[in-house]
Amino acid sequence: MSASATAVEDGRDTALTSVPGPILLLGAPGVGKGTQAKELVKHWGIPQISTGDLLRGHVARGTALGKAAKELIEHGNLVPDSIVNEMVAERLKEPDTVRGYILDGFPRTLPQAHWLDGRLAAHPEGLPVVAVSLHVDYNQLLRRITGRRNCPACQRIYNIYSNPPRREGLCDVEGAALVQRADDTEEVFAERMRAYAAQTTPVVEHYRAHGRFAEVDGDGAIAAIAAGIVAAVERLRK
Ligand code: AMP
């Protein structure tokens, strides 16, 4: 196994290489984008920017943006591009994004992808974007979604079937009671999959055509998948 793969498995907190720049994690709901983004954060020391997490933060704080987004999220519909783009623009102003960042759950529509491409093209001194699309089959996505539980204190992600906490219903680290996202039900999952097929599949095709694109099998051990993503990004950066 390569040194970088070992580092992912060890969870060492070091940026081993200067590979980063912007990295997109694409894939259906439940494919493991959030889990894998957290592995890549450990590996490269660059931030994860999850538009889902940012939106849920707004909902929890009861901001105007959160009030506009709440119902859409709970029904599995996408939040309007202008709102999400603006939120990403704000986040990208933070200095921790200078070396690179992992976009998790963005872009999800072609207009979002074109907005991001335009933004990156305006900074030609930066590294080009690399896109990694994760795949697992439908039934497994459903199991992952309905089994997913989150720690409200540290945001660790568990799965009651495949990655349960040591004590039922409690975070291993914080001891906090785990929660289930309101949109992680079978009914809302079906709607999220419809939104994915209609609006996000064209985004995957856009980046596939663009060249710096890899598909990674999202089925297997978390560390092994992370090692596969790291290898793909390193190859695409050459
Ligand atoms: P996620 O945590 O990525 O599964 O996102 C949860 C929900 O937040 C989605 O089902 C959408 O309602 C909303 N959302 C997250 N990212 C985006 C995005 N890039 N564009 C539009 N809506 C989004």
Side-chain angles (χ1 to χ4, degrees), residues 62-77:
T63 66
L65 195 161
K67 287 185 179 126
K70 187 171 188 287
E71 281 235 341
L72 292 167
I73 296 173
E74 284 176 358
H75 289 94
N77 302 127

Side-chain angles (χ1 to χ4, degrees), residues 77-115:
N77 302 127
L78 295 187
V79 174
D81 294 331
S82 56
I83 293 184
V84 181
N85 291 351
E86 178 60 28
M87 209 177 62
V88 172
E90 283 302 310
R91 181 61 185 86
L92 291 178
K93 285 183 192 158
E94 300 291 326
D96 64 340
T97 59
V98 169
R99 260 192 70 229
Y101 45 87
I102 301 147
L103 278 170
D104 154 12
F106 182 91
R108 248 182 170 91
T109 66
L110 270 182
Q112 290 178 15
H114 292 146
W115 175 85

Side-chain angles (χ1 to χ4, degrees), residues 8-210:
V8 171
E9 282 166 5
D10 289 354
R12 269 183 260 142
D13 223 358
T14 45
L16 293 180
T17 68
S18 57
V19 167
I23 298 167
L24 310 184
L25 280 185
L26 306 173
V31 80
K33 299 186 297 292
T35 299
Q36 289 302 325
K38 288 179 175 60
E39 294 296 300
L40 302 179
V41 165
K42 280 192 267 175
H43 183 70
W44 278 311
I46 56 172
Q48 167 194 14
I49 303 177
S50 156
T51 44
D53 285 348
L54 291 174
L55 288 166
R56 281 184 290 277
H58 277 278
V59 172
R61 295 194 302 280
T63 66
L65 195 161
K67 287 185 179 126
K70 187 171 188 287
E71 281 235 341
L72 292 167
I73 296 173
E74 284 176 358
H75 289 94
N77 302 127
L78 295 187
V79 174
D81 294 331
S82 56
I83 293 184
V84 181
N85 291 351
E86 178 60 28
M87 209 177 62
V88 172
E90 283 302 310
R91 181 61 185 86
L92 291 178
K93 285 183 192 158
E94 300 291 326
D96 64 340
T97 59
V98 169
R99 260 192 70 229
Y101 45 87
I102 301 147
L103 278 170
D104 154 12
F106 182 91
R108 248 182 170 91
T109 66
L110 270 182
Q112 290 178 15
H114 292 146
W115 175 85
L116 180 67
D117 292 350
R119 203 194 140 92
L120 294 171
H123 297 278
E125 70 285 0
L127 289 169
V129 71
V130 159
V132 176
S133 178
L134 292 169
H135 282 267
V136 304
D137 70 42
Y138 186 94
N139 286 335
Q140 204 185 137
L141 290 176
L142 177 61
R143 207 169 116 96
R144 287 189 184 184
I145 286 281
T146 54
R148 176 158 65 185
R149 301 290 183 274
N150 302 293
C151 172
C154 69
Q155 316 309 325
R156 269 185 184 71
I157 303 168
Y158 297 87
N159 188 288
I160 57 172
Y161 307 116
S162 58
N163 178 31
R166 283 193 287 273
R167 285 177 300 158
E168 194 183 331
L170 299 176
C171 177
D172 292 346
V173 179
E174 302 289 336
L178 300 179
V179 294
Q180 182 174 27
R181 278 170 45 174
D183 58 346
D184 275 352
T185 60
E186 188 163 351
E187 193 185 35
V188 180
F189 170 72
E191 190 51 45
R192 289 162 72 195
M193 283 302 283
R194 272 193 285 279
Y196 181 77
Q199 290 168 277
T200 311
T201 305
V203 173
V204 175
E205 296 315 314
H206 170 77
Y207 287 106
R208 191 196 303 279
H210 166 282

